[in-house]
mmCIF file of all heavy atoms in Angstrom:
data_model
loop_
_atom_site.group_PDB
_atom_site.id
_atom_site.type_symbol
_atom_site.label_atom_id
_atom_site.label_comp_id
_atom_site.label_asym_id
_atom_site.label_seq_id
_atom_site.Cartn_x
_atom_site.Cartn_y
_atom_site.Cartn_z
ATOM 1 N N ARG A 88 199.298 -121.888 145.787
ATOM 2 C CA ARG A 88 200.748 -122.032 145.693
ATOM 3 C C ARG A 88 201.187 -122.565 144.333
ATOM 4 O O ARG A 88 202.306 -122.294 143.881
ATOM 5 C CB ARG A 88 201.241 -122.959 146.802
ATOM 6 C CG ARG A 88 201.072 -122.386 148.207
ATOM 7 C CD ARG A 88 201.667 -123.304 149.254
ATOM 8 N NE ARG A 88 203.113 -123.461 149.069
ATOM 9 C CZ ARG A 88 203.869 -124.248 149.825
ATOM 10 N NH1 ARG A 88 203.324 -124.959 150.809
ATOM 11 N NH2 ARG A 88 205.164 -124.334 149.608
ATOM 12 N N SER A 89 200.277 -123.306 143.660
ATOM 13 C CA SER A 89 200.626 -123.870 142.354
ATOM 14 C C SER A 89 200.182 -122.984 141.191
ATOM 15 O O SER A 89 200.273 -123.397 140.029
ATOM 16 C CB SER A 89 200.010 -125.259 142.205
ATOM 17 O OG SER A 89 198.594 -125.189 142.240
ATOM 18 N N GLY A 90 199.668 -121.788 141.478
ATOM 19 C CA GLY A 90 199.309 -120.862 140.410
ATOM 20 C C GLY A 90 197.827 -120.700 140.158
ATOM 21 O O GLY A 90 197.430 -120.097 139.154
ATOM 22 N N GLY A 91 196.981 -121.228 141.020
ATOM 23 C CA GLY A 91 195.537 -121.063 140.867
ATOM 24 C C GLY A 91 194.917 -122.133 139.993
ATOM 25 O O GLY A 91 195.524 -123.166 139.701
ATOM 26 N N SER A 92 193.666 -121.895 139.566
ATOM 27 C CA SER A 92 192.934 -122.868 138.762
ATOM 28 C C SER A 92 192.193 -122.162 137.632
ATOM 29 O O SER A 92 191.743 -121.033 137.783
ATOM 30 C CB SER A 92 191.940 -123.649 139.634
ATOM 31 O OG SER A 92 191.056 -122.764 140.289
ATOM 32 N N ASP A 93 192.076 -122.880 136.511
ATOM 33 C CA ASP A 93 191.396 -122.340 135.329
ATOM 34 C C ASP A 93 189.930 -122.757 135.377
ATOM 35 O O ASP A 93 189.603 -123.935 135.204
ATOM 36 C CB ASP A 93 192.075 -122.879 134.070
ATOM 37 C CG ASP A 93 191.482 -122.278 132.811
ATOM 38 O OD1 ASP A 93 190.818 -121.230 132.920
ATOM 39 O OD2 ASP A 93 191.678 -122.872 131.728
ATOM 40 N N VAL A 94 189.026 -121.812 135.605
ATOM 41 C CA VAL A 94 187.610 -122.096 135.814
ATOM 42 C C VAL A 94 186.776 -121.422 134.731
ATOM 43 O O VAL A 94 187.056 -120.286 134.345
ATOM 44 C CB VAL A 94 187.143 -121.608 137.213
ATOM 45 C CG1 VAL A 94 185.657 -121.851 137.409
ATOM 46 C CG2 VAL A 94 187.947 -122.287 138.304
ATOM 47 N N THR A 95 185.729 -122.153 134.264
ATOM 48 C CA THR A 95 184.780 -121.583 133.317
ATOM 49 C C THR A 95 183.739 -120.795 134.094
ATOM 50 O O THR A 95 182.864 -121.371 134.750
ATOM 51 C CB THR A 95 184.090 -122.697 132.496
ATOM 52 O OG1 THR A 95 185.099 -123.504 131.883
ATOM 53 C CG2 THR A 95 183.185 -122.101 131.436
ATOM 54 N N ALA A 96 183.805 -119.465 134.029
ATOM 55 C CA ALA A 96 182.999 -118.612 134.897
ATOM 56 C C ALA A 96 181.504 -118.722 134.616
ATOM 57 O O ALA A 96 180.696 -118.761 135.546
ATOM 58 C CB ALA A 96 183.448 -117.158 134.760
ATOM 59 N N GLY A 97 181.115 -118.758 133.350
ATOM 60 C CA GLY A 97 179.684 -118.739 133.015
ATOM 61 C C GLY A 97 178.915 -119.887 133.609
ATOM 62 O O GLY A 97 177.856 -119.696 134.234
ATOM 63 N N TRP A 98 179.413 -121.102 133.436
ATOM 64 C CA TRP A 98 178.727 -122.271 133.986
ATOM 65 C C TRP A 98 178.754 -122.268 135.511
ATOM 66 O O TRP A 98 177.816 -122.728 136.163
ATOM 67 C CB TRP A 98 179.371 -123.553 133.456
ATOM 68 C CG TRP A 98 179.019 -123.833 132.028
ATOM 69 C CD1 TRP A 98 179.815 -123.681 130.938
ATOM 70 C CD2 TRP A 98 177.752 -124.286 131.546
ATOM 71 N NE1 TRP A 98 179.141 -124.009 129.787
ATOM 72 C CE2 TRP A 98 177.865 -124.392 130.143
ATOM 73 C CE3 TRP A 98 176.544 -124.602 132.145
ATOM 74 C CZ2 TRP A 98 176.814 -124.803 129.329
ATOM 75 C CZ3 TRP A 98 175.493 -125.018 131.347
ATOM 76 C CH2 TRP A 98 175.623 -125.114 129.964
ATOM 77 N N ALA A 99 179.827 -121.763 136.086
ATOM 78 C CA ALA A 99 179.910 -121.688 137.548
ATOM 79 C C ALA A 99 178.874 -120.708 138.102
ATOM 80 O O ALA A 99 178.258 -120.947 139.152
ATOM 81 C CB ALA A 99 181.317 -121.265 137.968
ATOM 82 N N ILE A 100 178.664 -119.579 137.392
ATOM 83 C CA ILE A 100 177.625 -118.631 137.809
ATOM 84 C C ILE A 100 176.252 -119.285 137.755
ATOM 85 O O ILE A 100 175.428 -119.109 138.671
ATOM 86 C CB ILE A 100 177.666 -117.371 136.921
ATOM 87 C CG1 ILE A 100 178.956 -116.584 137.169
ATOM 88 C CG2 ILE A 100 176.451 -116.480 137.184
ATOM 89 C CD1 ILE A 100 179.159 -115.422 136.216
ATOM 90 N N ALA A 101 175.995 -120.048 136.702
ATOM 91 C CA ALA A 101 174.703 -120.730 136.567
ATOM 92 C C ALA A 101 174.468 -121.680 137.735
ATOM 93 O O ALA A 101 173.354 -121.761 138.285
ATOM 94 C CB ALA A 101 174.654 -121.482 135.242
ATOM 95 N N TYR A 102 175.501 -122.399 138.131
ATOM 96 C CA TYR A 102 175.364 -123.309 139.282
ATOM 97 C C TYR A 102 175.039 -122.524 140.544
ATOM 98 O O TYR A 102 174.186 -122.928 141.349
ATOM 99 C CB TYR A 102 176.654 -124.105 139.474
ATOM 100 C CG TYR A 102 176.630 -124.949 140.728
ATOM 101 C CD1 TYR A 102 175.958 -126.167 140.766
ATOM 102 C CD2 TYR A 102 177.259 -124.509 141.890
ATOM 103 C CE1 TYR A 102 175.925 -126.927 141.926
ATOM 104 C CE2 TYR A 102 177.228 -125.263 143.045
ATOM 105 C CZ TYR A 102 176.560 -126.469 143.053
ATOM 106 O OH TYR A 102 176.518 -127.218 144.200
ATOM 107 N N GLY A 103 175.718 -121.389 140.744
ATOM 108 C CA GLY A 103 175.450 -120.573 141.929
ATOM 109 C C GLY A 103 174.012 -120.103 141.995
ATOM 110 O O GLY A 103 173.406 -120.077 143.079
ATOM 111 N N VAL A 104 173.438 -119.747 140.850
ATOM 112 C CA VAL A 104 172.041 -119.318 140.816
ATOM 113 C C VAL A 104 171.108 -120.463 141.193
ATOM 114 O O VAL A 104 170.167 -120.290 141.991
ATOM 115 C CB VAL A 104 171.678 -118.777 139.417
ATOM 116 C CG1 VAL A 104 170.176 -118.510 139.315
ATOM 117 C CG2 VAL A 104 172.462 -117.502 139.119
ATOM 118 N N VAL A 105 171.359 -121.657 140.645
ATOM 119 C CA VAL A 105 170.534 -122.833 140.962
ATOM 120 C C VAL A 105 170.571 -123.128 142.455
ATOM 121 O O VAL A 105 169.534 -123.352 143.102
ATOM 122 C CB VAL A 105 171.006 -124.055 140.155
ATOM 123 C CG1 VAL A 105 170.304 -125.330 140.641
ATOM 124 C CG2 VAL A 105 170.737 -123.847 138.665
ATOM 125 N N VAL A 106 171.755 -123.126 143.036
ATOM 126 C CA VAL A 106 171.910 -123.429 144.465
ATOM 127 C C VAL A 106 171.213 -122.378 145.319
ATOM 128 O O VAL A 106 170.541 -122.704 146.309
ATOM 129 C CB VAL A 106 173.410 -123.514 144.826
ATOM 130 C CG1 VAL A 106 173.590 -123.541 146.342
ATOM 131 C CG2 VAL A 106 174.024 -124.749 144.220
ATOM 132 N N THR A 107 171.360 -121.111 144.964
ATOM 133 C CA THR A 107 170.753 -120.047 145.748
ATOM 134 C C THR A 107 169.234 -120.166 145.778
ATOM 135 O O THR A 107 168.606 -120.097 146.845
ATOM 136 C CB THR A 107 171.152 -118.674 145.186
ATOM 137 O OG1 THR A 107 172.576 -118.550 145.210
ATOM 138 C CG2 THR A 107 170.538 -117.553 146.007
ATOM 139 N N VAL A 108 168.626 -120.350 144.612
ATOM 140 C CA VAL A 108 167.172 -120.442 144.535
ATOM 141 C C VAL A 108 166.663 -121.659 145.320
ATOM 142 O O VAL A 108 165.715 -121.558 146.112
ATOM 143 C CB VAL A 108 166.714 -120.531 143.063
ATOM 144 C CG1 VAL A 108 165.214 -120.814 142.987
ATOM 145 C CG2 VAL A 108 167.037 -119.237 142.334
ATOM 146 N N ALA A 109 167.296 -122.807 145.131
ATOM 147 C CA ALA A 109 166.866 -124.018 145.836
ATOM 148 C C ALA A 109 167.046 -123.873 147.347
ATOM 149 O O ALA A 109 166.177 -124.285 148.138
ATOM 150 C CB ALA A 109 167.649 -125.219 145.327
ATOM 151 N N SER A 110 168.150 -123.270 147.758
ATOM 152 C CA SER A 110 168.425 -123.139 149.192
ATOM 153 C C SER A 110 167.464 -122.178 149.872
ATOM 154 O O SER A 110 167.043 -122.419 151.020
ATOM 155 C CB SER A 110 169.868 -122.674 149.401
ATOM 156 O OG SER A 110 170.784 -123.618 148.885
ATOM 157 N N VAL A 111 167.107 -121.093 149.204
ATOM 158 C CA VAL A 111 166.128 -120.158 149.771
ATOM 159 C C VAL A 111 164.796 -120.866 149.993
ATOM 160 O O VAL A 111 164.154 -120.728 151.052
ATOM 161 C CB VAL A 111 165.942 -118.938 148.846
ATOM 162 C CG1 VAL A 111 164.720 -118.130 149.267
ATOM 163 C CG2 VAL A 111 167.181 -118.060 148.883
ATOM 164 N N ALA A 112 164.368 -121.666 149.019
ATOM 165 C CA ALA A 112 163.093 -122.379 149.129
ATOM 166 C C ALA A 112 163.111 -123.364 150.290
ATOM 167 O O ALA A 112 162.172 -123.409 151.102
ATOM 168 C CB ALA A 112 162.786 -123.102 147.820
ATOM 169 N N PHE A 113 164.174 -124.132 150.407
ATOM 170 C CA PHE A 113 164.241 -125.124 151.477
ATOM 171 C C PHE A 113 164.414 -124.474 152.845
ATOM 172 O O PHE A 113 163.886 -124.970 153.843
ATOM 173 C CB PHE A 113 165.388 -126.108 151.212
ATOM 174 C CG PHE A 113 164.990 -127.258 150.338
ATOM 175 C CD1 PHE A 113 165.204 -127.223 148.974
ATOM 176 C CD2 PHE A 113 164.384 -128.388 150.876
ATOM 177 C CE1 PHE A 113 164.832 -128.272 148.156
ATOM 178 C CE2 PHE A 113 164.016 -129.439 150.079
ATOM 179 C CZ PHE A 113 164.233 -129.391 148.706
ATOM 180 N N THR A 114 165.152 -123.369 152.914
ATOM 181 C CA THR A 114 165.320 -122.674 154.198
ATOM 182 C C THR A 114 163.980 -122.202 154.734
ATOM 183 O O THR A 114 163.659 -122.393 155.917
ATOM 184 C CB THR A 114 166.267 -121.472 154.035
ATOM 185 O OG1 THR A 114 167.547 -121.928 153.607
ATOM 186 C CG2 THR A 114 166.423 -120.736 155.365
#
Side-chain angles (χ1 to χ4, degrees):
R88 293 184 63 182
S89 63
S92 57
D93 184 18
V94 178
T95 306
W98 286 105
I100 293 173
Y102 174 79
V104 172
V105 171
V106 168
T107 301
V108 172
S110 298
V111 167
F113 274 95
T114 299

